[in-house]
Amino acid sequence: MTTELMKVIAQENLGSHIEKELEKEALKSLIDPLQVWITSASAPACYNLIPILTSGEVFGTRTEISITLFDNKQAEEHLNILAMETWDLVSPFLRSVSVCTRVEEAFLQAHVVIILDHPTDGEVYTLEDCLRSRVPMCRLYGYLIQKNAHDSVRVLVGGKTFVNLKAALLMRYAPNIAHNIIAVALGVEGEAKAALARKLKTTPSCIKDVIIWGNISGNSYVDLRKAKIYRYESAIWGPPHFSRPVLSLIFDSEWVNKDFVSTIKLLSTTGKQFGGILAAHSIATTLKYWYHGSPPEEIVSLGVLSEGQFGIPEGLVFSMPVKFENGTWVVLTDLEDIEISEEIMTRMTSDLIQEKLVALGDLIHFQPYQSENRSAEMDEKTTLPTTNDNQENRRVSDVDFSDLIPQANSEKPVSQEPINDRWYIKR
């Protein structure tokens, strides 16, 4: 082949390549990107969320997205800087990024809406005021999402403040899309797995099927009865798919009854260690599962509207075990041996029902649930002195039931059976 002929062929190849690239660009311009709206976009979680959303891991490498950062007018300068930083990521999956501070334009053609924690305006002195302060925002967001967003919009409520309540209020004010509104529980699930991993001296990713029941940011029940551990170094070893029950490897019953429960309770009710990284990761992972399905045979915790499953009263947004498949979620009602005691169910549902009633003005005071054994001893306080984020999230309504748990010092593995809001240690 002569040099001239090679040049001709090279020129033809280059021309064909340019034509194909132009065709790709033309086709790309005909395809609408996925519209993703983030509320309270000046919150720290947004900084950590954007790089994950633009990485191609959440929506897939064949989907382009347009991100709109939504917040109040006072945050506009901050949002513009964030938008510039986002554009500087040079993500091949990001079509555009914009800022919105005009309420009437919120959620236009949105396919995905992510609700982040929003600080309460003004001073809030009581728990009741904190609950009622959520209603105006959720009423406004619900109306605008139902009016402006895409018919199949998916709404995720994340963060550490009254997550179940905000999801329930959004469903109330956007009834047409209520089935597509969920509350993210993977943050609390991650905290539980990390605590177990520290105890067992392994990594959190090796622990699966921890179930979070109830109020994600309040009175919840961390259920370990289905929890498994993979790739655990011990006398018994197996292939990567081999697992062992977590409770069969924990011999310290006092740790399970006291330290583990109190640690998770403190984290979930005060928001400690639930910063921007964990909030962003839990939201992005839930969104990824929603679009592409959760890992096969794996249990995922999710706050959804109850239809009476597991004896949960209908109409409550309640965290329960689900799986994601085919673009939706399915409650795992076929799981065996996960019955919840009446005491635990009453405690969790009582708080959730009261939160909603107080928020809507149908109940004046929030009365923390107390078991009959403790009602004479507990003197609950509900005042919150400031609007500081951590203080605002401090749920003083929680009751400590540690004296209800039989203490045991046994060398046998711990088994978990629910009693009140702790676990009964069975020898």
Side-chain angles (χ1 to χ4, degrees):
M1 184 179 295
T2 64
T3 303
E4 291 297 324
L5 183 56
M6 292 177 64
K7 288 182 179 180
V8 171
I9 294 174
Q11 191 67 30
E12 290 177 350
N13 290 340
L14 178 61
S16 298
H17 175 72
I18 293 174
E19 288 179 2
K20 287 183 178 180
E21 290 299 314
L22 291 173
E23 288 177 359
K24 287 182 180 179
E25 291 297 323
L27 289 172
K28 189 178 293 185
S29 66
L30 296 174
I31 301 173
D32 291 331
L34 200 69
Q35 299 291 336
V36 180
W37 284 70
I38 305 175
T39 72
S40 304
S42 59
C46 190
Y47 276 95
N48 298 281
L49 181 59
I50 288 175
I52 307 175
L53 296 179
T54 58
S55 67
E57 295 181 4
V58 175
F59 302 106
T61 57
R62 295 185 177 182
T63 302
E64 287 190 321
I65 64 173
S66 289
I67 295 177
T68 303
L69 308 173
F70 179 54
D71 213 322
N72 55 41
K73 188 69 175 178
Q74 290 77 11
E76 186 170 15
E77 182 179 355
H78 181 84
L79 297 184
N80 286 328
I81 295 173
L82 179 56
M84 291 176 61
E85 288 190 52
T86 303
W87 200 240
D88 290 344
L89 292 174
V90 198
S91 168
F93 312 109
L94 181 65
R95 176 78 68 86
S96 66
V97 56
S98 57
V99 169
C100 179
T101 58
R102 294 172 61 88
V103 173
E104 61 272 19
E105 298 176 358
F107 312 122
L108 287 173
Q109 296 303 309
H111 296 98
V112 175
V113 176
I114 299 172
I115 309 292
L116 299 180
D117 279 330
H118 185 77
T120 304
D121 294 330
E123 293 185 340
V124 179
Y125 292 100
T126 67
L127 174 61
E128 288 81 1
D129 288 339
C130 285
L131 293 168
R132 294 182 186 117
S133 69
R134 268 56 191 178
V135 176
M137 181 195 72
C138 290
R139 182 191 296 119
L140 177 63
Y141 284 5
Y143 168 76
L144 291 171
I145 291 172
Q146 185 163 284
K147 177 176 179 286
N148 295 339
H150 196 274
D151 291 340
S152 60
V153 63
R154 306 181 186 195
V155 182
L156 294 88
V157 182
K160 58 186 178 182
T161 312
F162 304 113
V163 177
N164 296 57
L165 175 64
K166 288 187 288 188
L169 292 174
L170 287 170
M171 292 175 185
R172 177 185 178 90
Y173 297 115
N176 293 348
I177 59 167
H179 61 287
N180 265 4
I181 299 174
I182 61 175
V184 177
L186 287 186
V188 181
E189 187 179 308
E191 290 174 335
K193 291 177 179 178
L196 291 168
R198 286 191 290 270
K199 179 65 176 177
L200 295 171
K201 295 180 173 56
T202 186
T203 58
S205 62
C206 293
I207 298 174
K208 310 290 184 183
D209 299 345
V210 173
I211 303 174
I212 308 299
W213 296 94
N215 193 346
I216 297 165
S217 50
N219 267 328
S220 60
Y221 168 48
V222 182
D223 191 345
L224 303 181
R225 289 173 292 177
K226 294 293 181 182
K228 303 182 187 70
I229 185 168
Y230 293 81
R231 302 188 301 277
Y232 186 64
E233 295 185 8
S234 65
I236 301 176
W237 189 255
H241 63 272
F242 173 75
S243 67
R244 300 175 66 186
V246 166
L247 289 175
S248 71
L249 298 171
I250 299 178
F251 298 91
D252 187 350
S253 61
E254 186 173 353
W255 182 85
V256 173
N257 281 308
K258 288 188 174 181
D259 297 346
F260 175 70
V261 175
S262 60
T263 296
I264 301 306
K265 193 171 187 178
L266 178 66
L267 293 174
S268 63
T269 57
T270 65
K272 291 183 178 179
Q273 296 185 18
F274 199 94
I277 294 177
L278 182 56
H281 183 267
S282 59
I283 291 169
T285 303
T286 303
L287 196 52
K288 176 184 177 180
Y289 290 169
W290 204 348
Y291 273 88
H292 302 290
S294 53
E297 308 300 325
E298 188 170 320
I299 299 173
V300 178
S301 301
L302 186 70
V304 299
L305 188 64
S306 169
E307 297 178 354
Q309 306 97 325
F310 309 108
I312 302 165
E314 293 185 29
L316 287 182
V317 174
F318 204 91
S319 180
M320 59 184 79
V322 307
K323 66 177 178 180
F324 287 91
E325 62 181 7
N326 302 322
T328 187
W329 45 265
V330 179
V331 178
L332 297 175
T333 55
D334 57 346
L335 291 177
E336 298 179 354
D337 302 323
I338 58 167
E339 293 79 10
I340 305 175
S341 73
E342 183 179 353
E343 177 74 16
I344 293 179
M345 184 65 73
T346 302
R347 174 178 61 83
M348 292 188 291
T349 57
S350 172
D351 281 5
L352 286 171
I353 291 170
Q354 286 194 78
E355 281 186 0
K356 189 174 181 180
L357 290 176
V358 171
L360 295 173
D362 296 326
L363 189 65
I364 297 176
H365 298 294
F366 184 95
Q367 296 293 332
Y369 173 76
Q370 298 179 20
S371 68
E372 294 181 1
N373 296 17
R374 294 279 291 180
S375 58
E377 302 176 16
M378 298 304 298
D379 181 19
E380 291 288 315
K381 298 179 181 180
T382 57
T383 49
L384 298 174
T386 71
T387 58
N388 177 273
D389 216 18
N390 285 336
Q391 289 176 318
E392 177 192 346
N393 298 335
R394 187 171 292 119
R395 298 295 311 282
V396 294
S397 62
D398 295 325
V399 182
D400 185 7
F401 292 86
S402 57
D403 61 328
L404 299 177
I405 305 304
Q407 300 303 312
N409 291 317
S410 171
E411 295 182 359
K412 295 182 179 180
V414 174
S415 64
Q416 186 188 36
E417 294 182 1
I419 179 171
N420 299 314
D421 69 340
R422 299 278 182 150
W423 298 297
Y424 172 66
I425 303 306
K426 182 180 179 181
R427 290 190 180 91

